[in-house]
Amino acid sequence: MTSGLDLAALDRQIRPLLAQQRYEEAEALLRPLVASGTAPLAVWRWLASALRPQGKIAETRAIQEMVVAHVPGDYAARFDLSETLLLMGEFERGWREYRYRYSLAHTASMERKVQRPRWNGQPIPGKTLLIHDEQGFGDTFQFLRMVPWAKAKSGARVILEVSREVLLLAARTRGFDHILARGELPPPFDAHCELMSLPMAMGLTLADLPGPTPYVQPDAQRVERWRKRLATLPRPWVALVWAGRPTHPNDANRSLALEQLAPLAHCEATFLSLQKGPAEAQAGRPPDGMSLASLSSEIDDFEDTAAILSLADLLVSVDSSPVHLAGALGRPVWVMLPFVPDWRWLLAREDSPWYPHARLFRQPARGDWASVIAAIARELGSFVRSRL
């Protein structure tokens, strides 16, 4: 079936289909080519890329496992496999494969070139361990919980380095002896570990989660400032975020327009817009009947966001950094998830092992936000009535 296959011509057919999210058509073209089980690896890779967005996760994993077995040096394949394993809750191997995230062409420049060994989870009493953030703000909020665990296991003096945007919040967490902003010169250290490599180093399992919560605290003065700002607004207060960072590679699948949330408008709540970025302007034109207070222009930093979340009765949000901040604060959060979500939300569950007060509302089919929003509208009506 595959003898004489013109891979270049097939590439010209398949790539546009994948880019246009026409996954079923791509699968239909590729299925006959793999029927004998002897297709070129490129064909298998394309098939995995067509299957995963359709939610065919087990078959995707089988193909990714096969590719990695045949080409163990294909770091892109190993990283793709890691995200599938983590999505399936198979943390042990998933974390090991996840270390290949900085072996890809487009991420190699992001890796910190640290001239010290990476900590492997062993006790290093009397030594100094640098733990540093690496990716998005949400990742930092999610994995700050592990800093005190790492200190306890390593027995080391811990230096925590985070981006300046989250420095003040991180400074009120536990588990470090010294904290600094990324870009500052750290004190001498003996070993280092990225925040998101701590799970591999420490062998994190689902049974270890969530750990003590909350593990992030808002600033008391900011809370009081926002309490006064919001005092005239009727309760309950439902914070709202409907779009993530536009540069995120999966943003098209995770973000919404505010007008899509029109079914929430008739719940007797005051909505607090925490939306930042280009979608912030939509708050000036809320759906008919929605009582929306746009706070975006008054939010200077994550300290403000944390203070508002500590006062709000609930956050309803797409998968973005405020979700993880709310979770770290131990606040109630309802997360709107695409059909195949980011790995950290796992599969087929309405709760999150990471955040005890989170509820997950998943698309029942790819692109079906209407069902998600209808479900939230029903639940939000009950939630609001219980607080009136």
Side-chain angles (χ1 to χ4, degrees):
M1 177 67 71
T2 60
S3 59
L5 181 64
D6 186 340
L7 286 177
L10 185 59
D11 179 72
R12 290 192 293 272
Q13 280 185 285
I14 295 297
R15 285 187 183 275
L17 294 177
L18 297 177
Q20 296 164 26
Q21 300 187 11
R22 295 159 60 186
Y23 302 117
E24 292 83 358
E25 294 177 53
E27 179 187 356
L29 280 173
L30 295 166
R31 281 289 186 191
L33 303 179
V34 302
S36 66
T38 60
L41 286 177
V43 176
W44 289 106
R45 290 189 184 97
W46 288 325
L47 182 57
S49 296
L51 294 175
R52 193 178 191 276
Q54 297 182 63
K56 299 177 180 180
I57 304 302
E59 189 175 2
T60 299
R61 177 202 175 154
I63 294 171
Q64 291 171 337
E65 294 264 24
M66 182 267 291
V67 172
V68 167
H70 280 80
V71 193
D74 186 336
Y75 297 130
R78 301 196 78 132
F79 176 70
D80 289 345
L81 174 61
S82 77
E83 293 203 313
T84 300
L85 292 169
L86 293 173
L87 180 65
M88 299 177 78
E90 298 196 20
F91 278 11
E92 183 179 359
R93 187 178 174 197
W95 298 126
R96 291 201 309 270
E97 300 291 347
Y98 194 62
R99 73 185 188 272
Y100 292 108
R101 62 193 179 278
Y102 286 134
S103 300
L104 312 181
H106 70 285
T107 60
S109 62
M110 297 166 53
E111 183 179 18
R112 286 282 300 278
K113 305 302 188 286
V114 180
Q115 301 304 312
R116 291 291 186 273
R118 182 175 280 109
W119 182 56
N120 62 4
Q122 296 301 310
I124 50 173
K127 302 291 187 181
T128 297
L129 171 63
L130 172 68
I131 298 175
H132 49 97
D133 66 1
E134 54 177 312
Q135 298 187 38
F137 299 127
D139 300 316
T140 299
F141 296 138
Q142 182 177 4
F143 287 93
L144 276 173
R145 78 185 74 215
M146 297 197 68
V147 174
W149 306 356
K151 181 172 178 59
K153 187 169 185 180
S154 68
R157 178 175 182 266
V158 171
I159 302 168
L160 177 61
E161 178 190 285
V162 296
S163 64
R164 194 168 299 278
E165 291 89 341
V166 303
L167 180 65
L168 294 176
L169 277 166
R172 291 193 296 276
T173 62
R174 298 171 42 251
F176 58 86
D177 301 282
H178 181 77
I179 188 169
L180 71 157
R182 189 190 305 162
E184 296 177 8
L185 184 66
F189 57 94
D190 302 288
H192 81 103
C193 194
E194 302 91 348
L195 269 177
M196 296 182 72
S197 291
L198 289 177
M200 179 181 68
M202 302 182 66
L204 182 73
T205 68
L206 282 171
D208 298 320
L209 297 173
T213 54
Y215 52 90
V216 170
Q217 303 296 329
D219 177 71
Q221 290 185 336
R222 295 282 187 111
V223 172
E224 286 310 306
R225 184 192 306 171
W226 279 101
R227 193 188 307 276
K228 293 176 182 176
R229 164 66 177 84
L230 302 174
T232 59
L233 299 177
R235 299 197 78 141
W237 299 332
V238 178
L240 204 59
V241 177
W242 57 89
R245 176 169 47 89
T247 55
H248 189 281
N250 196 43
D251 192 62
N253 291 320
R254 67 171 184 161
S255 289
L256 297 163
L258 177 58
E259 63 184 14
Q260 292 176 264
L261 299 180
L264 309 186
H266 302 293
C267 299
E268 295 181 37
T270 298
F271 293 92
L272 310 176
S273 171
L274 309 187
Q275 184 64 52
K276 301 293 280 187
E280 174 184 336
Q282 298 172 23
R285 304 179 303 277
D288 290 343
M290 177 177 282
S291 175
L292 179 69
S294 179
L295 307 180
S296 306
S297 63
E298 303 172 54
I299 297 174
D300 292 330
D301 52 26
F302 280 116
E303 289 282 351
D304 284 326
T305 305
I308 297 167
L309 290 173
S310 73
L311 295 168
D313 296 284
L314 174 67
L315 169 66
V316 176
S317 177
V318 295
D319 182 7
S320 62
S321 57
V323 164
H324 297 284
L325 180 52
L329 291 162
R331 302 300 298 158
V333 53
W334 294 358
V335 193
M336 298 178 280
L337 294 177
F339 182 56
V340 178
D342 187 81
W343 58 263
R344 68 202 76 212
W345 303 116
L346 304 171
L347 294 169
R349 56 189 296 168
E350 297 178 356
D351 65 336
S352 168
W354 299 98
Y355 305 119
H357 301 291
R359 289 186 62 183
L360 309 181
F361 292 80
R362 301 173 182 269
Q363 287 183 347
R366 193 171 73 252
D368 183 5
W369 284 121
S371 294
V372 171
I373 295 164
I376 289 178
R378 289 192 298 271
E379 293 297 312
L380 190 57
S382 299
F383 180 89
V384 169
R385 287 191 293 274
S386 70
R387 282 158 176 75
L388 291 177

